[in-house]
């Protein structure tokens, strides 16, 4: 299975129709909430109840039947989630009615959709302009239409990949990647990708709008406007970050067959308050997820020793986070600490590479210059 997300550009009248479909799903969902007040009901019971509802409310026939059936699936999913929470000793109430604006999606499953020539055709709705920036692979199984809080429309497409031959992996095309705060990624071939720090740059405007929101009267139109603006900026940051993750992971997946990375230990790092903002901003986890599904082979190794060990001779060179350069007294290797780490990460999977790969040493002068500019 593979997922794609595309932006939709409905016309004004189409937007009304989409909102209407969401509201119909919400209406059915809320009917289900009412129906399940007595206790848990199975998905089949819900489907029977849906047929009953349709007989009472014949206008429901104007909507794609699979879409309404997916509300049954969703409802039974919510019930299961609630049940497992209860079983794990969590305090839970009952499922709440979905209010206007809380419910923002509807699903077309298995049938009723077509995606071609920059158009998404939905049965009982029509052709909607779509920005398809990627060619999809496999057969479309499901389409989820979502309205974001700021009012944009997106379409998530789930595809089932053909069960063809497994890919042929060239193990010589292998790279070790170290992810970090100073450098978002440093690889064993010496390529550096600096951290874009999108959020940091946008933090000021975000804080400004937040202050604006708090000054506005609750319920006022100005406050609503400010909230919407806040959501737009927030979405913009998320999109920028996603875009960056996609581009970088695609670059790696095209260049290499095998990617070796460290298992992330975010829990330890977030404890350091100075680091947490940068960590949230870099969000390596989501990057690595993308890398994982794009690469032919993705390997996670234990992080033990990767920053301390000398990648050339194995000598232990302990260093604090502030020390950006790895200096080995034994073999005189002087390289960036992240570079050293990425080679060690690679060695964990391919130890024989140790003798073959001699990291390119950077002259001490340029190294210190670089270190200064980075720290500044
Ligand atoms: Zn050494």
């Amino acid at each position: 299975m593979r997922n794609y997300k595309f932006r939709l550009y409905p016309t004004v009248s189409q937007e009304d129709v989409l909102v209407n479909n969401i509201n119909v799903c919400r209406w059915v969902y809320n009917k289900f909430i009412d129906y399940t007040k007595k206790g848990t009901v199975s998905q089949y019971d819900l489907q029977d109840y849906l047929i009953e509802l349709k007989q009472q409310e014949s206008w429901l026939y104007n909507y794609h039947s699979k879409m309404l059936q997916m509300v049954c699936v969703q409802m039974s999913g919510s019930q299961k989630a609630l049940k497992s929470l209860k079983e794990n000793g969590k305090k839970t109430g009952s499922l709440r009615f979905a209010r206007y604006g809380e419910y923002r999606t509807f699903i077309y499953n298995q049938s009723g959709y077509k995606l071609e020539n920059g158009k998404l055709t939905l049965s009982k709705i029509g052709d909607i302009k779509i920005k398809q920036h990627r060619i999809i692979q496999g057969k479309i199984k499901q389409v989820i239409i979502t309205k974001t809080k700021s009012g944009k429309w997106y379409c998530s497409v789930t595809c089932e990949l053909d069960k063809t031959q497994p890919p042929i992996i060239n193990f010589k095309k292998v790279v070790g990647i170290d992810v970090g705060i100073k450098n978002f990624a440093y690889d064993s071939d010496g390529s550096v990708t600096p951290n874009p720090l999108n959020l940091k740059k946008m933090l000021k405007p975000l804080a400004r709008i937040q202050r604006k929101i708090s000054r506005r009267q609750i319920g006022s139109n100005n406050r609503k406007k400010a909230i919407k603006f806040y959501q737009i900026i927030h979405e913009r940051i998320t999109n920028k970050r996603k875009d960056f993750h996609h581009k970088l992971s695609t670059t790696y997946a095209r260049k290499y067959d095998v990617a070796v990375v460290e298992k992330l230990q975010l829990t330890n790092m977030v404890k350091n308050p100075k680091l947490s903002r940068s960590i949230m901003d870099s969000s390596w986890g989501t990057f690595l997820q993308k890398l994982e599904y794009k690469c032919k082979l993705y390997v996670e190794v234990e992080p033990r020793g990767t920053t301390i060990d000398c990648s050339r001779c194995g000598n232990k060179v302990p260093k604090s986070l502030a020390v950006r350069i790895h200096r080995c007294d034994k073999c005189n290797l002087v390289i960036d600490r992240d570079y050293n780490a990425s080679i060690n990460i690679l060695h964990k999977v391919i130890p024989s590479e140790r003798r073959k790969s001699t990291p390119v040493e950077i002259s001490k002068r340029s190294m210190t210059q670089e270190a200064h500019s980075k720290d500044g």
Side-chain angles (χ1 to χ4, degrees):
M1 291 289 187
R2 182 165 280 191
N3 285 308
Y4 303 88
K5 195 174 175 191
F6 303 117
R7 175 98 187 257
L8 285 175
Y9 294 92
T11 62
V12 176
S13 59
Q14 281 175 337
E15 207 175 340
D16 287 345
V17 179
L18 293 177
V19 169
N20 191 18
N21 273 272
I22 287 179
N23 277 328
V24 168
C25 288
R26 186 169 66 95
W27 185 86
V28 173
Y29 182 84
N30 284 340
K31 280 277 175 195
F32 285 169
I33 296 256
D34 222 8
Y35 184 66
T36 54
K37 276 273 152 72
K38 297 155 242 160
T40 315
V41 253
S42 75
Q43 197 177 309
Y44 300 106
D45 291 334
L46 288 170
Q47 269 163 5
D48 288 343
Y49 177 58
L50 180 64
I51 294 166
E52 244 175 72
L53 268 181
K54 274 177 153 180
Q55 279 160 358
Q56 291 160 15
E57 314 275 347
S58 61
W59 54 270
L60 281 173
Y61 284 105
N62 297 329
Y63 297 89
H64 187 53
S65 65
K66 270 277 175 199
M67 175 184 83
L68 301 176
Q69 275 179 38
M70 285 313 284
V71 184
C72 303
V73 178
Q74 195 198 347
M75 183 71 208
S76 96
S78 302
Q79 281 187 331
K80 274 177 200 151
L82 195 74
K83 204 177 152 200
S84 83
L85 277 177
K86 259 180 204 160
E87 280 167 2
N88 286 317
K90 296 264 171 9
K91 257 191 190 171
T92 53
S94 49
L95 290 171
R96 284 191 309 126
F97 286 109
R99 282 176 300 180
Y100 183 84
E102 281 180 342
Y103 200 101
R104 298 196 303 273
T105 56
F106 65 86
I107 305 169
Y108 272 42
N109 182 276
Q110 284 174 356
S111 66
Y113 47 77
K114 203 165 74 186
L115 181 58
E116 56 182 19
N117 306 327
K119 273 186 302 190
L120 173 73
T121 309
L122 293 175
S123 156
K124 308 229 175 183
I125 293 177
D127 298 348
I128 304 160
K129 207 176 132 197
I130 188 167
K131 195 178 171 192
Q132 198 187 333
H133 55 279
R134 284 208 289 162
I135 296 163
I136 56 168
Q137 278 173 18
K139 202 171 170 245
I140 301 178
K141 285 286 167 191
Q142 180 168 285
V143 173
I144 304 176
I145 309 294
T146 308
K147 186 186 186 186
T148 68
K149 277 184 184 167
S150 73
K152 286 179 196 146
W153 291 90
Y154 286 94
C155 158
S156 298
V157 179
T158 306
C159 292
E160 193 179 49
L161 292 174
D162 308 326
K163 287 188 189 88
T164 43
Q165 297 271 312
I168 300 157
I169 298 167
N170 181 353
F171 283 92
K172 279 184 182 150
K173 289 166 83 179
V174 57
V175 68
I177 306 169
D178 179 66
V179 290
I181 294 164
K182 272 275 155 64
N183 305 306
F184 185 83
Y186 211 131
D187 69 41
S188 52
D189 282 342
S191 296
V192 200
T193 309
N195 200 328
L197 293 175
N198 284 326
L199 190 61
K200 216 174 190 174
K201 269 186 235 159
M202 307 286 267
L203 228 51
K204 264 190 186 170
L206 215 55
R208 204 181 305 141
I209 306 162
Q210 239 166 357
R211 280 199 301 274
K212 213 173 183 178
I213 293 170
S214 60
R215 279 201 303 267
R216 301 276 184 268
Q217 211 176 346
I218 291 170
S220 72
N221 271 333
N222 279 329
R223 188 184 156 95
K224 274 179 202 153
K225 259 188 222 164
I227 289 173
K228 192 164 181 185
F229 191 53
Y230 178 85
Q231 283 160 348
I232 288 173
I233 300 236
H234 218 276
E235 265 170 36
R236 206 174 286 163
I237 297 168
T238 314
N239 288 342
K240 265 192 186 171
R241 190 158 50 196
K242 264 189 201 157
D243 194 49
F244 167 70
H245 290 164
H246 267 303
K247 277 184 182 144
L248 189 61
S249 52
T250 304
T251 309
Y252 274 119
R254 280 198 186 134
K255 202 169 167 192
Y256 302 98
D257 279 7
V258 186
V260 187
V261 300
E262 255 179 9
K263 206 176 269 174
L264 279 185
Q265 293 175 305
L266 284 183
T267 43
N268 296 336
M269 301 175 96
V270 178
K271 271 181 201 154
N272 184 339
K274 262 191 183 169
L275 292 183
S276 61
R277 171 64 69 194
S278 300
I279 285 170
M280 292 188 335
D281 194 24
S282 342
S283 51
W284 301 304
T286 51
F287 163 70
L288 294 179
Q289 270 172 13
K290 290 185 175 72
L291 188 68
E292 185 175 4
Y293 84 69
K294 285 179 191 174
C295 276
K296 282 183 183 165
L297 187 63
Y298 174 86
V299 187
E300 272 186 355
V301 296
E302 287 299 327
R304 186 202 287 236
T306 49
T307 47
I308 294 169
D309 294 355
C310 173
S311 60
R312 192 194 269 165
C313 69
N315 183 26
K316 295 218 179 307
V317 187
K319 39 184 138 8
S320 72
L321 250 176
V323 180
R324 303 303 310 159
I325 296 157
H326 168 84
R327 281 176 214 277
C328 179
D329 309 332
K330 225 173 174 183
C331 71
N332 295 322
L333 178 70
V334 181
I335 52 170
D336 189 287
R337 65 175 283 148
D338 295 342
Y339 187 15
N340 184 60
S342 68
I343 298 164
N344 281 330
I345 290 168
L346 177 66
H347 287 169
K348 289 217 172 191
V349 176
I350 307 174
S352 58
E353 289 283 301
R354 174 160 286 184
R355 258 156 267 117
K356 271 189 259 165
S357 77
T358 316
V360 193
E361 265 185 80
I362 313 164
S363 78
K364 282 183 187 176
R365 200 168 153 256
S366 76
M367 225 30 239
T368 37
Q369 270 177 354
E370 207 189 350
H372 278 302
S373 65
K374 269 180 197 162
D375 289 336

